[in-house]
Amino acid sequence: MSNEATLAKIRALLAKAEDPGVTPEESEAYFGKAAELMGKYGIERAMLAASDPTTDKVIHRSIVIEGSYATERRLLAGLIAKALSVEPILSQRRNRGEKRFTYTVELYGFESDIERAEMLYTSLSLQASNGLRTTRPEWWESTTLATHRKAWLRGFTYTVVQRIKDAEARAKGEAEAEHGTSVALVLADRAAIAKRAADEANPSGVSEYKPRTRRTSAFEEGSAAGRRADIGAKRVGARAGRSIAA
């Protein structure tokens, strides 16, 4: 199956998983198959590039994040990237006369991995946006709506990123059972190449962002939403970074 055909199948499965007319069991089944295909796609592209480097080159792309909850959304983008062996470099700037920062997540890695990271960030940020619109603090909680939503989004992020890591690990294990330890070596080499590219381009860059957080009810609520989220996107190449509502 060609790359485009595989991505088209993933998009079709995820479209079915996100259809409000299907049952939760059907949605989970569609999602499970889509996540499985996405993991295998990443392995296939990596192994192909190991034998023919022209099929998957190291590139650099940027995700610009501004507006509400930008700090938390930067965390989502950065951790998704790391889970897919893409090296993120995080930067921020404040425009003159403005209180909010504009954040940029610079992505360094192989094109197929960055493509997957962008797809996932676009989809998951949209899903998070829908969840944020409906979440509210309980009447007995002494917290603001903004603080509650930030905790919710961090809970969502940590949980959904762990799901991505688990899917990647399963795909790797299946590939190793078929092809041997060369798979692990190829993937480790790709991650090292991505990090080297990021370090060379940004010698003083910050590659990780892990804010402190407490496991509040909002965090747990966001975590539950992360467990239900579809790990994928309906569209390849959609613009990322403009999806979380105020």
Side-chain angles (χ1 to χ4, degrees):
M1 187 181 295
S2 69
N3 294 336
E4 286 304 316
T6 299
L7 291 173
K9 188 170 183 179
I10 292 171
R11 291 195 297 270
L13 286 166
L14 290 170
K16 292 178 180 179
E18 295 173 1
D19 186 341
V22 304
T23 66
E25 293 76 17
E26 289 172 331
S27 179
E28 180 63 24
Y30 287 133
F31 157 72
K33 185 59 177 178
E36 176 187 345
L37 285 176
M38 183 171 282
K40 289 180 178 180
Y41 170 78
I43 297 290
E44 288 171 359
R45 291 296 302 270
M47 298 306 291
L48 178 61
S51 59
D52 183 1
T54 64
T55 63
D56 202 10
K57 298 181 179 180
V58 176
I59 65 169
H60 159 244
R61 288 182 186 163
S62 301
I63 296 176
V64 177
I65 302 172
E66 53 191 358
S68 301
Y69 311 107
T71 300
E72 286 69 32
R73 291 158 57 205
R74 179 179 69 163
L75 175 66
L76 176 63
L79 292 185
I80 288 172
K82 291 287 286 187
L84 299 177
S85 299
V86 174
E87 194 66 22
I89 297 293
L90 314 177
S91 64
Q92 65 185 46
R93 63 178 174 82
R94 178 181 291 174
N95 296 328
R96 182 175 299 178
E98 296 183 4
K99 294 182 179 181
R100 289 179 174 176
F101 285 96
T102 294
Y103 297 101
T104 302
V105 182
E106 307 287 354
L107 302 178
Y108 294 85
F110 287 86
E111 185 172 12
S112 65
D113 294 330
I114 289 180
E115 178 183 56
R116 293 192 300 148
E118 290 180 318
M119 287 196 324
L120 284 167
Y121 174 70
T122 299
S123 177
L124 291 172
S125 61
L126 286 170
Q127 294 179 59
S129 180
N130 293 332
L132 284 177
R133 290 192 181 99
T134 59
T135 185
R136 294 290 187 277
E138 297 292 342
W139 64 268
W140 44 263
E141 292 182 302
S142 58
T143 185
T144 65
L145 178 60
T147 299
H148 177 88
R149 285 179 167 178
K150 288 177 181 179
W152 186 99
L153 187 49
R154 290 174 185 175
F156 177 91
T157 293
Y158 290 134
T159 299
V160 82
V161 167
Q162 186 58 53
R163 290 179 65 199
I164 295 169
K165 291 178 179 178
D166 291 343
E168 292 292 296
R170 286 193 297 271
K172 177 183 174 183
E174 291 173 2
E176 286 181 334
E178 181 178 353
H179 301 291
T181 58
S182 61
V183 175
L185 295 175
V186 168
L187 296 180
D189 188 50
R190 285 167 68 91
I193 290 173
K195 189 175 189 313
R196 185 162 61 248
D199 290 344
E200 291 175 354
N202 303 271
S204 60
V206 178
S207 61
E208 290 189 86
Y209 173 68
K210 296 181 179 179
R212 296 179 180 178
T213 189
R214 295 185 298 115
R215 299 186 72 86
T216 62
S217 62
F219 184 97
E220 297 298 345
E221 183 185 342
S223 180
R227 287 190 290 272
R228 296 189 300 268
D230 295 319
I231 303 178
K234 295 179 183 178
R235 301 175 303 278
V236 177
R239 292 185 64 185
R242 295 178 176 271
S243 54
I244 302 268

